[in-house]
């Protein structure tokens, strides 16, 4: 099944079921008022939502309308919790060099994770208002999972069974603010503005064989101002989502609707390019002896789309956003 949330002036938006080809959608207020409502009552509403999805794909859903991604908020405009890992160790090691930071203890064996803001997610085509270009504006392409209830102390294999939906993420970062916050030992705050999501959240079965081993085996195609930036592959994730969810739930339960991110998709091969500017800058310094790429300026755009290995468009739709100066 595929879901999206239309902006309707409310905090949680209007839930719609989306067709497999992303061309049609239908609201389901009699089943669930929002995606968060559906996740909180998943066992109760699952079969009814599946019936609607099946009817929509077969052209038998009365009241279906053309699906407009530009009318979408994030699939979950807000959630109980947003937890972001760093499951691609290649990216983490490069970032250690970027921040001139000592190696993180047990980095290869224990996932690292921070808790970000979850009260104000951005939609796939929303402008991104930020206070200053001097803050080092950067995009970060990721994948994520949306969980049902997760018990404390869950095993990684059991944690995977708690995954309800998959999402595509742009975790915006302000790189000039990160080093100080990391040194405080309290983690990111100002360095992490509102996170953005592709328009469609999907059940894992929608990926077929591209969802295996707790990983999203898709290429994340990233463009900056219309130019190719990279297409790293999600299959190179070192810690799978079962490990990440279990790590988050080691000492506390997780509520339905909790989102857990993979961290920036990153591949060892330089040919794959990158999914964030900071990574490219570090590679430039290592390979060429100097940083040549600046961060984003107001008016710049970033486009992200996860695609299947065979080249078919992916199931999440497109993130296409512009950075703008915040109103003073």
């Amino acid at each position: 099944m595929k879901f999206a949330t239309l902006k309707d002036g409310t905090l949680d938006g209007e839930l719609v079921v989306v067709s497999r080809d992303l061309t049609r959608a239908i609201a389901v207020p009699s089943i669930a008022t929002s995606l968060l409502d559906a996740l909180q009552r998943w066992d109760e509403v699952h079969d009814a939502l599946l019936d609607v999805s099946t009817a929509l794909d077969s052209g038998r859903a009365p009241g279906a309308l053309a699906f407009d991604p530009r009318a979408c908020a994030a699939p979950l405009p807000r959630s109980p919790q947003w937890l972001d890992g760093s499951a691609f160790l290649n990216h983490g090691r490069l970032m250690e060099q970027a921040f001139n930071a000592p190696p993180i203890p047990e980095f290869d064996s224990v996932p690292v994770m921070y808790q970000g803001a979850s009260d104000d997610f951005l939609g796939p085509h929303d402008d991104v208002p930020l206070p200053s270009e001097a803050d080092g504006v950067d995009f970060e392409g990721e994948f994520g999972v949306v969980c049902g209830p997760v018990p404390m102390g869950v095993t990684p294999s059991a944690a995977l069974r708690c995954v309800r939906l998959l999402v595509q993420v742009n975790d915006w970062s302000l790189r000039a603010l990160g080093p100080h916050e990391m040194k405080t030992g309290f983690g990111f705050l100002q360095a992490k503005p509102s996170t953005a999501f592709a328009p469609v959240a999907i059940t894992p079965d929608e990926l077929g064989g591209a969802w295996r081993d707790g990983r999203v085996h898709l290429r994340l195609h990233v463009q900056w101002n219309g130019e190719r930036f990279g297409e790293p592959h999600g299959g190179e994730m070192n810690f799978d989502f079962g490990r990440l969810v279990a790590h988050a739930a080691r000492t506390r339960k997780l509520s339905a609707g909790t989102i857990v991110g993979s961290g920036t998709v990153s591949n060892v091969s330089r040919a794959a390019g990158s999914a964030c500017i900071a990574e490219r800058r570090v590679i430039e310094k290592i390979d060429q002896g100097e940083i040549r790429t600046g961060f984003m300026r107001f008016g710049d755009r970033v486009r992200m789309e996860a695609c299947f290995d065979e080249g078919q468009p992916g199931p999440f739709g497109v993130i296409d956003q512009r950075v703008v100066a915040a109103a003073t």
Side-chain angles (χ1 to χ4, degrees):
M1 292 182 283
K2 296 184 176 181
F3 303 99
T5 294
L6 302 182
K7 298 176 180 179
D8 67 354
T10 67
L11 291 175
D12 294 310
E14 180 183 33
L15 173 64
V16 294
V17 178
V18 182
S19 62
R20 182 163 284 125
D21 63 4
L22 306 187
T23 62
R24 300 178 311 285
I26 185 167
V28 287
S30 64
I31 302 174
T33 57
S34 67
L35 185 54
L36 183 57
D37 177 38
L39 289 161
Q40 291 170 337
R41 299 187 297 116
W42 189 254
D43 292 341
E44 176 186 340
V45 303
H46 175 274
D47 290 351
L49 291 171
L50 182 58
D51 288 344
V52 172
S53 177
T54 301
L56 187 61
D57 285 328
S58 64
R60 296 183 289 103
L65 301 173
F67 177 56
D68 180 9
R70 293 188 173 276
C72 289
L76 281 169
R78 57 177 181 161
S79 78
Q81 198 163 196
W82 158 236
L83 304 168
D84 198 21
S86 183
F88 293 85
L89 298 188
N90 180 67
H91 175 77
R93 294 187 179 108
L94 289 171
M95 289 303 98
E96 286 178 357
Q97 296 184 55
F99 293 118
N100 194 28
I104 297 172
E106 301 179 299
F107 186 61
D108 293 353
S109 57
V110 180
V112 296
M113 187 173 289
Y114 80 92
Q115 183 168 343
S118 61
D119 60 324
D120 185 33
F121 292 137
L122 297 175
H125 295 278
D126 289 347
D127 283 346
V128 184
L130 295 170
S132 174
E133 292 176 345
D135 289 338
V137 181
D138 197 357
F139 49 82
E140 289 194 62
E142 308 185 10
F143 296 111
V145 297
V146 184
C147 300
V150 182
M152 183 174 66
V154 68
T155 65
S157 60
L160 269 185
R161 295 194 291 271
C162 297
V163 170
R164 300 288 181 260
L165 301 170
L166 310 178
V167 290
Q168 178 191 315
V169 183
N170 182 6
D171 185 39
W172 288 96
S173 291
L174 300 177
R175 297 298 187 185
L177 305 181
H180 170 74
E181 293 189 331
M182 292 174 70
K183 290 176 182 177
T184 66
F186 276 79
F188 295 123
L189 180 68
Q190 294 178 351
K192 288 293 185 179
S194 295
T195 301
F197 291 79
V200 179
I202 67 172
T203 50
D205 60 286
E206 290 288 337
L207 288 189
W211 171 250
R212 62 183 186 274
D213 304 321
R215 296 168 173 84
V216 176
H217 289 259
L218 300 179
R219 289 200 175 276
L220 186 56
H221 292 253
V222 181
Q223 295 179 349
W224 180 9
N225 290 333
E227 296 185 0
R228 181 257 184 190
F229 198 82
E231 54 280 327
H233 196 277
E236 206 165 302
M237 192 172 169
N238 296 85
F239 297 111
D240 72 275
F241 277 111
R243 286 285 305 278
L244 293 184
V245 174
H247 177 79
R250 181 176 179 270
T251 60
R252 55 179 169 173
K253 64 181 182 180
L254 307 181
S255 301
T258 294
I259 307 172
V260 178
S262 67
T264 303
V265 181
S266 179
N267 293 173
V268 172
S269 171
R270 298 284 202 261
S274 297
C276 76
I277 299 170
E279 183 172 298
R280 174 182 278 191
R281 285 164 57 90
V282 176
I283 291 171
E284 288 173 344
K285 186 174 182 179
I286 294 169
D287 293 354
Q288 303 170 38
E290 62 177 356
I291 295 173
R292 300 180 178 181
T293 301
F295 289 110
M296 298 185 81
R297 307 293 298 272
F298 294 148
D300 282 5
R301 304 193 73 94
V302 62
R303 184 184 192 277
M304 300 179 180
E305 181 181 15
C307 297
F308 290 96
D309 288 350
E310 297 77 13
Q312 311 102 299
F316 302 105
V318 173
I319 294 174
D320 188 352
Q321 295 185 281
R322 180 182 60 153
V323 178
V324 299
T328 57

